[in-house]
Amino acid sequence: MLKETYKAEIDDILSRYPIRRSAVLPLLYLAQKEEGYVSEAAMKEIAGILRLTPPQVYEVVTFYTMFQLKPIAAFHIQVCKSLMCALVGSDTLLRWLKIRLGIGPGETTADKRFTISTVECLASCGTGPMMQVNDDYYEGLTESKLDRILADLKRDGTSPLKSGPFMLPEPMKG
Amino acid sequence: MPPFEKILLKNMETPGYTGSLADYERGGGYQALRKVLGKIPPAEITETVKKSGLRGRGGAGFPTGVKWGFLPKDYQGPKYLCCNADESEPGTFKDRQLIERDPHQMIEGMLLACYAIGVETAYIYIRGEFVLGAQILERALAEARMAGYVGQNILGARTSINIWVHRGAGAYICGEETALLESLEGKRGLPRVKPPFPATHGLYNKPTVVNNVETLANLPHIINRGAEWFAAIGSPPKSSGTRIFCVSGHVKRPGNFEVPMGTTLRELIFEHAGGMRSDKPLKAIIPGGASAPFFTPEHLGVKLDFESVAQAGSMLGSGGVTVMEEGTNMVWAALRLMEFFYHESCGKCTPCREGSSWLVQTMRRIVDGRGRNSDLETLVELCQNIAGRTVCAFGDAEVAPIMSTLKYWRHEYEELIQQAAMSAPAELMMPVMGKH
């Protein structure tokens, strides 16, 4: 139950808005953090906390692309396929991923470690092709960089190649 | 290039600058807030912003001070400011840099705006994918609260301003200001019918101002250095100040470049962004994000200010400049953008919801070599029945790539259709509803 695990956090979130309903996205994020997706039970609980009907929560969940209605793999690889990334090779990035992981967009590896999705513009147009893995951006991808990232993820669960605070062109070293 | 002092990127381009509160203060940060708080009446700040000529940097280019002036005078009760950090217009990546590299600059801008319009609660609506950006903002706000810049009785004055970060969750349309408000209220992000405008009926039906990150980031500088200083930069009187242009595509040095408005496309692409990445010549330019009609190399002399770009048939929009080299198929490029719009149509208005699906299917058929002669007429008819027939500007935006590529590169559509006719008998297929 969210209410027990995240009591302080929920109270803090609710205190930021004059109307409880505004807390629906933050609470859905909590639910997804807890279970890896947004379950029906979580939606009902959120509806209860916010004094909404369950459909009022469900209609929000299904509007926004970042909420998962079913469990997905540990690493969610999201490849930007919008024009700006496509111009610099996002289609080849998808092909490399298919070669390395054996799956395409919308699919999950048999070991449940990787799910690939294609997404629309992630505001990383000058550093394409790029992908987001869970919370992290990986930009300016090449075949060798991708291989290193996948190896890092499998071994350590994260990779030092993820993006830090963004600046392009790269800042001068101070 | 004449010598020119950057405004918004100056701090972060200083070697060693981290964006911390200490770094920001060392560069003169929060001086504007100290200068006005309790000393200059709020109405005077609005006047200064009006006089500066600052216009919205999110896309529409509405004069910021005028927008503030639409709030009802002497209104009793809560009013709100929302910082639009939903940056999702394909080709645009400037707000991300402003947020992650110099968060206090936009926070000070928000505080100044709140003070000017009498707001005590403000929200930063940041796109959900910017997880790092949201963390950086939370950290910066915690610093600002500790230092007494945000919270109750700021710097000991009677003014109280709270700022909260609110993450979106993946929906382009939430960058449209009324959709943003719906989303912030915990609903599906469907744009509202206007009027009434947010200035009178905004967040929670209260008077509300929505301003873009870059717009707000300009405010401390305007307050510190004066309206006249700002008004003289760029292409006055209608396009004052600088813009951060985000250059992407087939250039040598993609990135964010802050230049005075009125800089030509040629200078931006060939001097700042280093020119084309290979010996393939320039073929096409999108001057203002995915919603802006395409330009050709003939437009390289166009000045990047609101009026000049509009006069040349496109729009300055969000500042996203995408460059394409010779060899890029324009029908394919338009299809890629159309797929974006189809995916992001919120579904509220029938012309946009159904029309975007029909457009994608027709475009895909042409690109896949199954086009028919009647398809071009179909495209034009669909476009004409979407633009101007929807609640928000999305409808006008989604037809821009197709209409403008048809205008300049019609022969590429015709070639694909001719090839289809020669290679295989075209099977009659009507566009059908639903996803494919």
Side-chain angles (χ1 to χ4, degrees), chain A residues 16-19 21-22 24-25 29 59-60 62-67 81 83-84 86-87 91 120-126 132 135 137 139 164-169 171 174, chain B residues 12-13 15 80 90-93 96-97 100-101 123 127-130 132 164 166 168-170 183-189 204 248 250 254-256 322 324 336 339-340:
Chain A
R16 300 174 172 203
Y17 309 100
I19 287 173
R21 188 174 184 167
S22 278
V24 64
L25 291 184
Y29 274 123
E59 68 171 15
V60 170
T62 54
F63 185 80
Y64 299 93
T65 55
M66 287 177 66
F67 296 120
K81 64 175 269 288
L83 174 66
M84 292 69 190
L87 285 172
D91 289 348
E120 296 293 351
C121 193
L122 294 180
S124 174
C125 316
Q132 182 168 19
D135 288 349
Y137 276 32
E139 301 171 82
F166 175 73
M167 189 151 165
L168 192 74
Chain B
M12 66 181 87
E13 287 184 354
Y80 296 98
T92 317
F93 46 91
R96 184 176 162 212
Q97 183 165 324
E100 295 183 2
R101 285 281 173 172
Y123 297 98
R127 67 176 297 174
E129 293 88 346
F130 284 175
L132 180 64
W164 306 109
H166 186 93
S183 178
L184 190 42
E185 288 181 5
K187 302 173 196 159
R188 293 166 75 92
Y204 311 123
S248 62
H250 298 145
N256 285 317
T322 302
M324 286 161 264
R336 265 336 237 284
E339 284 174 341
F340 166 82

Coordinates of all heavy atoms in Angstrom, one line a residue, chain A residues 16-19 21-22 24-25 29 59-60 62-67 81 83-84 86-87 91 120-126 132 135 137 139 164-169 171 174, chain B residues 12-13 15 80 90-93 96-97 100-101 123 127-130 132 164 166 168-170 183-189 204 248 250 254-256 322 324 336 339-340:
Chain A
R16 N 1.5 20.7 -1.5 CA 1.9 21.7 -2.6 C 0.7 22.2 -3.4 O 0.9 23.2 -4.2 CB 2.9 21.0 -3.5 CG 4.1 20.5 -2.8 CD 5.0 19.7 -3.7 NE 6.2 19.4 -3.1 CZ 7.4 19.1 -3.7 NH1 7.4 19.0 -5.0 NH2 8.5 18.8 -3.0
Y17 N -0.4 21.6 -3.3 CA -1.5 22.0 -4.2 C -2.8 22.4 -3.4 O -3.1 21.7 -2.4 CB -1.9 20.8 -5.2 CG -0.7 20.3 -5.9 CD1 -0.1 19.1 -5.5 CD2 -0.2 20.9 -7.0 CE1 1.0 18.6 -6.1 CE2 0.9 20.4 -7.7 CZ 1.5 19.2 -7.2 OH 2.6 18.7 -7.9
P18 N -3.5 23.4 -3.8 CA -4.7 23.7 -3.1 C -5.8 22.7 -3.4 O -6.8 22.7 -2.7 CB -5.1 25.1 -3.7 CG -4.4 25.2 -5.0 CD -3.2 24.3 -4.9
I19 N -5.7 21.9 -4.4 CA -6.7 20.9 -4.8 C -6.1 19.6 -4.9 O -5.0 19.4 -5.6 CB -7.4 21.4 -6.1 CG1 -8.3 22.6 -5.9 CG2 -8.2 20.2 -6.8 CD1 -8.9 23.2 -7.0
R21 N -6.7 16.8 -6.4 CA -6.6 16.1 -7.7 C -5.2 16.4 -8.4 O -4.8 15.6 -9.2 CB -7.7 16.6 -8.6 CG -7.8 15.8 -9.9 CD -9.1 16.1 -10.7 NE -9.2 15.2 -11.8 CZ -10.3 15.1 -12.6 NH1 -11.4 15.8 -12.3 NH2 -10.3 14.3 -13.6
S22 N -4.7 17.6 -8.2 CA -3.4 17.9 -8.8 C -2.3 16.9 -8.5 O -1.3 16.9 -9.2 CB -2.9 19.3 -8.4 OG -3.6 20.3 -9.2
V24 N -2.3 13.8 -8.8 CA -2.5 12.5 -9.4 C -1.2 12.1 -10.1 O -0.8 10.9 -10.0 CB -3.8 12.5 -10.3 CG1 -3.7 13.4 -11.5 CG2 -4.0 11.1 -10.8
L25 N -0.5 13.0 -10.9 CA 0.7 12.5 -11.6 C 1.8 12.2 -10.6 O 2.4 11.1 -10.7 CB 1.2 13.6 -12.6 CG 0.3 13.8 -13.9 CD1 1.0 14.8 -14.8 CD2 0.1 12.6 -14.6
Y29 N 3.5 8.4 -10.2 CA 5.0 8.2 -10.2 C 5.4 7.3 -9.0 O 6.2 6.4 -9.2 CB 5.8 9.5 -10.3 CG 6.0 10.1 -11.7 CD1 5.5 11.3 -12.0 CD2 6.6 9.3 -12.6 CE1 5.7 11.9 -13.2 CE2 6.8 9.8 -13.9 CZ 6.4 11.1 -14.2 OH 6.6 11.6 -15.5
E59 N -8.2 7.3 -16.6 CA -8.1 8.1 -17.8 C -6.9 9.0 -17.9 O -6.4 9.3 -19.0 CB -9.4 9.0 -18.0 CG -9.5 10.1 -17.0 CD -10.7 11.0 -17.3 OE1 -11.5 10.7 -18.1 OE2 -10.6 12.1 -16.7
V60 N -6.3 9.3 -16.8 CA -5.1 10.0 -16.7 C -3.9 9.1 -17.1 O -3.1 9.4 -17.9 CB -4.9 10.7 -15.4 CG1 -3.4 11.3 -15.2 CG2 -5.9 11.8 -15.2
T62 N -3.8 6.5 -18.9 CA -3.8 6.1 -20.3 C -3.5 7.3 -21.2 O -3.2 7.1 -22.4 CB -5.1 5.5 -20.7 OG1 -6.2 6.4 -20.4 CG2 -5.3 4.2 -20.0
F63 N -3.5 8.5 -20.7 CA -3.3 9.7 -21.6 C -1.8 9.9 -21.7 O -1.3 10.3 -22.8 CB -3.9 10.9 -21.0 CG -3.8 12.1 -21.9 CD1 -4.6 12.3 -23.0 CD2 -2.8 13.1 -21.7 CE1 -4.5 13.4 -23.8 CE2 -2.6 14.2 -22.5 CZ -3.5 14.4 -23.6
Y64 N -1.0 9.6 -20.7 CA 0.4 9.9 -20.6 C 1.3 8.7 -21.0 O 1.0 7.6 -20.4 CB 0.8 10.5 -19.3 CG 0.0 11.8 -19.0 CD1 -1.2 11.8 -18.3 CD2 0.5 13.0 -19.4 CE1 -1.9 12.9 -18.0 CE2 -0.2 14.2 -19.2 CZ -1.4 14.2 -18.5 OH -2.1 15.3 -18.2
T65 N 2.3 8.9 -21.8 CA 3.0 7.7 -22.3 C 4.0 7.2 -21.3 O 4.4 6.0 -21.5 CB 3.8 8.1 -23.6 OG1 4.6 9.2 -23.3 CG2 2.9 8.5 -24.8
M66 N 4.3 7.9 -20.3 CA 5.3 7.4 -19.4 C 4.8 6.4 -18.3 O 5.6 5.8 -17.6 CB 6.1 8.6 -18.7 CG 7.0 9.3 -19.6 SD 7.8 10.7 -18.9 CE 8.8 10.0 -17.7
F67 N 3.5 6.2 -18.3 CA 3.0 5.2 -17.3 C 2.8 3.8 -18.0 O 2.3 3.8 -19.1 CB 1.7 5.7 -16.7 CG 1.9 6.9 -15.9 CD1 1.2 8.1 -16.2 CD2 2.8 6.9 -14.8 CE1 1.4 9.3 -15.4 CE2 3.0 8.1 -14.1 CZ 2.3 9.3 -14.4
K81 N 12.7 8.5 -32.2 CA 12.6 8.2 -33.7 C 12.1 9.5 -34.4 O 11.8 9.4 -35.6 CB 11.6 7.1 -33.9 CG 10.2 7.3 -33.5 CD 9.2 6.2 -33.9 CE 8.6 6.4 -35.2 NZ 7.6 7.5 -35.3
L83 N 12.1 13.2 -36.4 CA 12.9 13.5 -37.6 C 14.4 13.9 -37.2 O 15.3 13.4 -37.9 CB 12.3 14.7 -38.3 CG 13.1 15.3 -39.5 CD1 13.3 14.2 -40.6 CD2 12.5 16.5 -40.0
M84 N 14.6 14.7 -36.2 CA 15.9 15.2 -35.9 C 16.9 14.1 -35.6 O 18.1 14.1 -36.0 CB 15.9 16.3 -34.8 CG 15.2 17.6 -35.2 SD 13.4 17.3 -35.4 CE 12.9 18.8 -36.1
A86 N 16.3 10.9 -36.6 CA 16.3 10.1 -37.8 C 17.3 10.6 -38.8 O 17.9 9.8 -39.5 CB 14.9 10.1 -38.4
L87 N 17.5 11.9 -38.9 CA 18.4 12.5 -39.8 C 19.9 12.0 -39.5 O 20.7 12.0 -40.4 CB 18.4 14.0 -39.7 CG 17.2 14.7 -40.4 CD1 17.2 16.2 -40.0 CD2 17.1 14.5 -41.9
D91 N 17.4 5.1 -37.1 CA 17.0 3.8 -37.6 C 18.1 2.8 -37.5 O 17.9 1.6 -37.2 CB 16.5 4.0 -39.1 CG 15.2 4.8 -39.2 OD1 14.6 5.0 -38.1 OD2 14.9 5.2 -40.3
E120 N 8.8 9.6 -29.2 CA 8.9 10.9 -29.9 C 9.8 11.8 -29.2 O 10.1 11.7 -28.0 CB 7.6 11.5 -30.3 CG 6.7 10.6 -31.2 CD 7.2 10.5 -32.6 OE1 8.2 11.2 -33.0 OE2 6.7 9.7 -33.4
C121 N 10.3 12.9 -29.8 CA 11.3 13.8 -29.4 C 11.5 14.0 -27.9 O 10.6 14.3 -27.1 CB 11.0 15.2 -30.0 SG 12.4 16.3 -29.8
L122 N 12.8 13.8 -27.5 CA 13.1 13.9 -26.0 C 14.0 15.1 -25.8 O 14.7 15.2 -24.8 CB 13.9 12.6 -25.6 CG 13.1 11.3 -25.5 CD1 13.9 10.2 -25.1 CD2 11.8 11.5 -24.7
A123 N 13.9 16.1 -26.7 CA 14.7 17.4 -26.6 C 16.2 17.1 -26.5 O 16.9 17.6 -25.6 CB 14.2 18.2 -25.4
S124 N 16.7 16.3 -27.4 CA 18.1 16.0 -27.4 C 18.5 16.0 -28.9 O 19.3 15.2 -29.3 CB 18.3 14.6 -26.8 OG 19.6 14.1 -26.9
C125 N 18.0 16.9 -29.6 CA 18.1 16.9 -31.1 C 19.5 17.2 -31.6 O 19.8 16.8 -32.8 CB 17.1 17.9 -31.7 SG 15.5 17.9 -30.9
G126 N 20.3 17.9 -30.9 CA 21.7 18.1 -31.3 C 22.6 17.0 -31.0 O 23.8 17.1 -31.4
Q132 N 16.8 6.9 -24.1 CA 16.7 7.1 -22.6 C 16.5 5.7 -22.1 O 15.7 4.9 -22.6 CB 15.4 7.9 -22.3 CG 15.2 8.1 -20.8 CD 14.2 9.2 -20.5 OE1 13.4 9.6 -21.3 NE2 14.2 9.7 -19.2
D135 N 15.7 6.4 -16.2 CA 15.7 7.8 -16.0 C 16.8 8.5 -16.8 O 16.8 9.7 -16.8 CB 15.9 8.1 -14.5 CG 14.7 7.8 -13.7 OD1 13.6 7.6 -14.3 OD2 14.8 7.8 -12.4
Y137 N 19.6 9.7 -19.8 CA 19.8 9.9 -21.3 C 21.1 9.4 -21.7 O 22.1 9.5 -21.0 CB 19.7 11.4 -21.6 CG 18.4 12.0 -21.8 CD1 17.3 11.5 -21.1 CD2 18.2 13.1 -22.6 CE1 16.0 12.1 -21.2 CE2 16.9 13.7 -22.8 CZ 15.8 13.2 -22.1 OH 14.6 13.8 -22.2
E139 N 23.5 9.9 -25.2 CA 23.4 10.7 -26.4 C 24.6 10.5 -27.3 O 25.6 10.0 -26.8 CB 23.2 12.1 -26.0 CG 22.0 12.4 -25.2 CD 21.9 13.8 -24.6 OE1 21.4 14.7 -25.3 OE2 22.2 13.9 -23.4
G164 N 25.2 13.9 -18.2 CA 25.1 14.8 -17.0 C 24.4 16.0 -17.4 O 23.7 16.1 -18.4
P165 N 24.5 17.1 -16.6 CA 23.9 18.4 -16.9 C 24.2 18.8 -18.4 O 25.4 18.8 -18.7 CB 24.4 19.4 -15.9 CG 24.8 18.5 -14.7 CD 25.2 17.2 -15.3
F166 N 23.2 19.1 -19.1 CA 23.3 19.2 -20.6 C 23.9 20.5 -21.0 O 23.5 21.6 -20.5 CB 22.0 19.0 -21.2 CG 21.9 19.2 -22.7 CD1 22.5 18.3 -23.5 CD2 21.4 20.4 -23.2 CE1 22.4 18.5 -24.9 CE2 21.3 20.6 -24.6 CZ 21.8 19.6 -25.4
M167 N 24.9 20.5 -22.0 CA 25.4 21.7 -22.6 C 25.9 21.3 -24.0 O 26.7 20.4 -24.1 CB 26.4 22.3 -21.7 CG 26.8 23.7 -22.3 SD 27.3 24.8 -20.9 CE 28.1 26.1 -21.8
L168 N 25.6 22.0 -25.0 CA 26.0 21.8 -26.3 C 26.2 23.1 -27.1 O 25.2 23.9 -27.1 CB 25.0 20.8 -27.0 CG 25.5 20.2 -28.3 CD1 26.5 19.2 -28.1 CD2 24.4 19.7 -29.1
P169 N 27.3 23.4 -27.7 CA 28.5 22.6 -27.7 C 29.1 22.4 -26.3 O 28.8 23.2 -25.4 CB 29.5 23.5 -28.6 CG 28.6 24.4 -29.3 CD 27.4 24.6 -28.5
P171 N 31.0 22.3 -22.9 CA 31.6 23.5 -22.2 C 33.1 23.3 -22.2 O 33.7 22.2 -22.3 CB 31.1 23.4 -20.8 CG 30.6 22.0 -20.6 CD 30.3 21.5 -22.0
G174 N 37.1 24.0 -17.0 CA 37.6 25.1 -16.2 C 38.7 24.7 -15.2 O 39.0 23.6 -15.0
Chain B
M12 N 26.9 30.2 -17.8 CA 27.3 28.8 -17.9 C 28.4 28.5 -18.9 O 29.0 27.5 -18.8 CB 26.0 28.0 -18.3 CG 25.5 28.3 -19.7 SD 24.0 27.3 -20.0 CE 22.7 28.3 -19.3
E13 N 28.7 29.5 -19.7 CA 29.9 29.4 -20.6 C 31.2 29.8 -19.9 O 32.3 29.7 -20.5 CB 29.6 30.1 -21.9 CG 28.6 29.4 -22.8 CD 28.4 30.0 -24.1 OE1 28.9 31.0 -24.4 OE2 27.6 29.3 -24.9
P15 N 34.2 29.1 -17.7 CA 34.8 27.9 -17.3 C 34.6 27.7 -15.8 O 34.8 28.6 -15.0 CB 36.3 28.1 -17.6 CG 36.3 29.0 -18.8 CD 35.1 30.0 -18.5
Y80 N -1.8 32.5 -10.1 CA -0.7 31.6 -10.2 C 0.2 31.9 -11.4 O -0.2 32.6 -12.4 CB -1.3 30.2 -10.5 CG -2.1 29.7 -9.3 CD1 -3.5 29.7 -9.3 CD2 -1.4 29.1 -8.2 CE1 -4.2 29.3 -8.2 CE2 -2.1 28.7 -7.1 CZ -3.5 28.7 -7.1 OH -4.2 28.3 -6.0
P90 N 9.9 19.2 -31.4 CA 11.1 18.6 -32.1 C 12.0 19.6 -32.6 O 11.6 20.5 -33.3 CB 10.4 17.7 -33.1 CG 9.1 17.3 -32.6 CD 8.6 18.5 -31.8
G91 N 13.3 19.5 -32.3 CA 14.3 20.5 -32.8 C 14.7 21.4 -31.7 O 15.6 22.2 -31.9
T92 N 14.0 21.4 -30.5 CA 14.3 22.3 -29.5 C 14.9 21.7 -28.3 O 14.4 20.7 -27.8 CB 13.0 23.0 -29.1 OG1 12.2 23.3 -30.3 CG2 13.2 24.3 -28.3
F93 N 16.1 22.3 -27.8 CA 16.7 21.7 -26.6 C 17.4 22.8 -25.9 O 18.5 22.6 -25.3 CB 17.7 20.6 -27.0 CG 18.6 20.9 -28.2 CD1 19.8 21.4 -28.0 CD2 18.2 20.6 -29.5 CE1 20.6 21.7 -29.1 CE2 19.0 20.9 -30.6 CZ 20.2 21.5 -30.4
R96 N 16.3 22.8 -21.7 CA 17.0 21.7 -21.0 C 18.3 22.3 -20.5 O 18.7 22.0 -19.4 CB 17.2 20.6 -22.0 CG 17.8 19.4 -21.3 CD 17.9 18.2 -22.3 NE 18.9 17.2 -21.8 CZ 19.6 16.5 -22.6 NH1 19.5 16.6 -23.9 NH2 20.5 15.6 -22.1
Q97 N 19.0 23.0 -21.3 CA 20.3 23.5 -20.9 C 20.2 24.6 -19.9 O 20.9 24.7 -18.9 CB 21.1 24.1 -22.2 CG 22.4 24.6 -21.9 CD 23.3 24.7 -23.2 OE1 23.1 24.0 -24.1 NE2 24.1 25.8 -23.3
E100 N 19.3 22.8 -16.6 CA 20.3 21.9 -16.0 C 21.7 22.6 -15.7 O 22.4 22.2 -14.8 CB 20.6 20.7 -16.9 CG 19.3 19.8 -17.0 CD 19.6 18.5 -17.9 OE1 20.7 18.3 -18.3 OE2 18.6 17.8 -18.0
R101 N 21.9 23.7 -16.4 CA 23.2 24.4 -16.2 C 23.1 25.7 -15.4 O 24.1 26.2 -14.9 CB 23.8 24.8 -17.6 CG 24.4 23.6 -18.3 CD 25.7 23.2 -17.7 NE 26.2 22.0 -18.3 CZ 27.4 21.5 -18.1 NH1 28.3 22.2 -17.4 NH2 27.8 20.4 -18.6
Y123 N 4.3 27.2 -10.1 CA 4.7 25.8 -10.5 C 5.6 25.8 -11.7 O 5.5 26.6 -12.6 CB 3.5 24.9 -10.8 CG 2.6 24.8 -9.6 CD1 1.4 25.6 -9.4 CD2 2.8 23.9 -8.6 CE1 0.6 25.5 -8.3 CE2 2.0 23.8 -7.5 CZ 0.9 24.6 -7.4 OH 0.1 24.5 -6.3
R127 N 8.8 18.6 -18.3 CA 8.4 17.4 -19.0 C 8.9 16.2 -18.2 O 10.0 16.2 -17.7 CB 8.8 17.3 -20.5 CG 10.3 17.3 -20.7 CD 10.7 17.2 -22.2 NE 10.2 15.9 -22.7 CZ 10.2 15.6 -24.0 NH1 10.7 16.4 -24.9 NH2 9.8 14.4 -24.4
G128 N 8.2 15.1 -18.2 CA 8.5 14.0 -17.3 C 9.8 13.3 -17.6 O 10.5 12.8 -16.7
E129 N 10.2 13.4 -18.9 CA 11.5 12.7 -19.2 C 12.7 13.4 -18.7 O 13.8 12.8 -18.6 CB 11.6 12.6 -20.8 CG 10.6 11.7 -21.4 CD 9.3 12.4 -21.8 OE1 9.1 13.6 -21.3 OE2 8.5 11.9 -22.5
F130 N 12.6 14.7 -18.3 CA 13.7 15.5 -17.8 C 13.9 15.1 -16.3 O 13.7 16.0 -15.4 CB 13.5 17.0 -17.9 CG 13.7 17.5 -19.3 CD1 13.4 18.9 -19.6 CD2 14.2 16.8 -20.3 CE1 13.6 19.4 -20.8 CE2 14.4 17.3 -21.6 CZ 14.1 18.6 -21.9
L132 N 16.6 14.3 -14.7 CA 17.8 15.0 -14.2 C 17.5 16.5 -14.0 O 17.8 17.1 -12.9 CB 19.0 14.9 -15.2 CG 20.3 15.6 -14.8 CD1 20.9 15.0 -13.5 CD2 21.3 15.5 -15.9
W164 N 7.1 25.2 -6.8 CA 7.1 23.8 -6.7 C 7.4 23.2 -8.1 O 6.9 23.8 -9.1 CB 5.7 23.2 -6.3 CG 5.3 23.8 -4.9 CD1 4.3 24.7 -4.7 CD2 5.9 23.6 -3.6 NE1 4.2 25.0 -3.4 CE2 5.2 24.3 -2.7 CE3 7.0 22.8 -3.2 CZ2 5.5 24.3 -1.3 CZ3 7.3 22.8 -1.9 CH2 6.5 23.5 -0.9
H166 N 6.6 20.4 -10.8 CA 5.6 19.4 -11.1 C 6.0 18.7 -12.4 O 6.1 19.4 -13.5 CB 4.2 20.2 -11.3 CG 3.1 19.2 -11.5 ND1 2.3 18.8 -10.5 CD2 2.6 18.6 -12.7 CE1 1.4 18.0 -11.0 NE2 1.5 17.9 -12.3
G168 N 5.5 16.5 -15.7 CA 4.6 15.9 -16.7 C 4.9 14.5 -16.8 O 5.7 13.9 -16.1
A169 N 4.2 13.8 -17.8 CA 4.4 12.4 -17.9 C 4.4 11.8 -19.3 O 4.0 10.7 -19.6 CB 3.4 11.6 -17.0
G170 N 4.8 12.7 -20.2 CA 4.9 12.2 -21.6 C 3.7 12.6 -22.4 O 2.8 11.8 -22.7
S183 N -3.4 19.6 -17.2 CA -2.6 18.5 -16.7 C -2.2 18.8 -15.3 O -2.2 17.8 -14.4 CB -1.3 18.4 -17.6 OG -0.4 17.4 -17.1
L184 N -1.8 20.0 -15.0 CA -1.5 20.4 -13.6 C -2.6 20.2 -12.6 O -2.5 20.0 -11.4 CB -1.0 21.8 -13.6 CG -0.3 22.5 -12.4 CD1 0.7 21.5 -11.7 CD2 0.4 23.7 -12.9
E185 N -3.8 20.3 -13.2 CA -5.0 20.0 -12.3 C -5.3 18.6 -12.1 O -6.3 18.2 -11.5 CB -6.2 20.8 -12.9 CG -6.2 22.3 -12.8 CD -7.4 23.0 -13.4 OE1 -8.4 22.3 -13.8 OE2 -7.4 24.2 -13.4
G186 N -4.5 17.7 -12.7 CA -4.6 16.3 -12.5 C -5.6 15.6 -13.6 O -6.2 14.6 -13.3
K187 N -5.7 16.2 -14.7 CA -6.6 15.7 -15.7 C -5.8 15.3 -17.0 O -4.6 15.5 -17.1 CB -7.6 16.7 -16.1 CG -8.5 17.2 -15.0 CD -9.4 18.3 -15.4 CE -9.9 19.1 -14.2 NZ -10.3 20.4 -14.6
R188 N -6.5 14.7 -18.0 CA -5.8 14.5 -19.3 C -5.5 15.9 -19.8 O -6.2 16.8 -19.6 CB -6.8 13.8 -20.2 CG -7.1 12.4 -19.8 CD -8.3 11.8 -20.5 NE -8.1 11.5 -21.9 CZ -7.7 10.3 -22.3 NH1 -7.5 9.3 -21.4 NH2 -7.4 10.0 -23.6
G189 N -4.4 16.0 -20.6 CA -4.0 17.3 -21.0 C -4.7 17.7 -22.3 O -4.0 17.7 -23.4
Y204 N -6.9 26.3 -11.7 CA -8.0 26.2 -10.7 C -9.0 27.4 -11.0 O -9.6 27.9 -10.0 CB -7.5 26.3 -9.3 CG -6.4 25.3 -9.0 CD1 -5.1 25.8 -8.6 CD2 -6.5 24.0 -9.3 CE1 -4.1 24.9 -8.3 CE2 -5.5 23.1 -9.0 CZ -4.3 23.5 -8.6 OH -3.3 22.6 -8.4
S248 N 20.3 21.6 -35.1 CA 20.4 20.2 -35.2 C 20.4 19.7 -36.7 O 20.3 20.6 -37.6 CB 19.2 19.5 -34.5 OG 18.0 19.8 -35.1
H250 N 22.2 18.1 -40.1 CA 23.4 17.8 -40.8 C 24.5 18.9 -40.8 O 25.0 19.3 -41.8 CB 23.1 17.4 -42.3 CG 22.3 16.2 -42.4 ND1 21.3 16.0 -43.3 CD2 22.2 15.1 -41.6 CE1 20.7 14.9 -43.2 NE2 21.2 14.3 -42.1
P254 N 26.5 20.9 -34.1 CA 25.1 21.2 -33.6 C 25.2 21.8 -32.2 O 26.2 21.6 -31.5 CB 24.5 19.9 -33.6 CG 25.5 18.8 -33.8 CD 26.8 19.5 -34.2
G255 N 24.2 22.5 -31.8 CA 24.2 23.0 -30.4 C 23.3 24.2 -30.2 O 22.6 24.6 -31.1
N256 N 23.4 24.8 -29.0 CA 22.6 26.0 -28.6 C 23.5 27.2 -28.8 O 24.6 27.3 -28.3 CB 22.2 25.9 -27.2 CG 21.1 24.9 -26.9 OD1 20.1 24.9 -27.7 ND2 21.1 24.1 -25.9
T322 N 16.5 23.1 -37.8 CA 17.0 21.8 -38.2 C 17.5 21.9 -39.7 O 16.8 22.5 -40.5 CB 15.9 20.8 -38.1 OG1 15.5 20.7 -36.7 CG2 16.4 19.4 -38.5
M324 N 19.0 20.2 -43.2 CA 19.1 18.9 -43.9 C 19.9 19.0 -45.2 O 19.9 20.1 -45.9 CB 17.6 18.5 -44.3 CG 16.9 17.9 -43.1 SD 15.1 17.9 -43.4 CE 14.6 19.5 -42.6
R336 N 8.1 11.7 -41.3 CA 8.7 11.5 -39.9 C 8.0 12.5 -39.0 O 7.7 12.2 -37.9 CB 10.2 11.7 -40.0 CG 11.1 10.5 -40.1 CD 10.4 9.3 -39.7 NE 11.0 8.4 -38.7 CZ 12.0 7.6 -38.8 NH1 12.8 7.5 -39.8 NH2 12.4 6.8 -37.8
E339 N 4.3 11.6 -38.4 CA 4.2 10.5 -37.4 C 4.2 11.1 -36.0 O 3.5 10.6 -35.1 CB 5.3 9.5 -37.6 CG 5.0 8.6 -38.8 CD 6.2 7.6 -39.1 OE1 7.3 7.9 -38.7 OE2 6.0 6.7 -39.9
F340 N 5.1 12.1 -35.8 CA 5.2 12.7 -34.5 C 3.8 13.3 -34.2 O 3.2 13.1 -33.1 CB 6.2 13.8 -34.5 CG 6.2 14.7 -33.3 CD1 6.7 14.4 -32.1 CD2 5.5 16.0 -33.5 CE1 6.6 15.3 -31.0 CE2 5.5 16.8 -32.4 CZ 6.0 16.5 -31.2

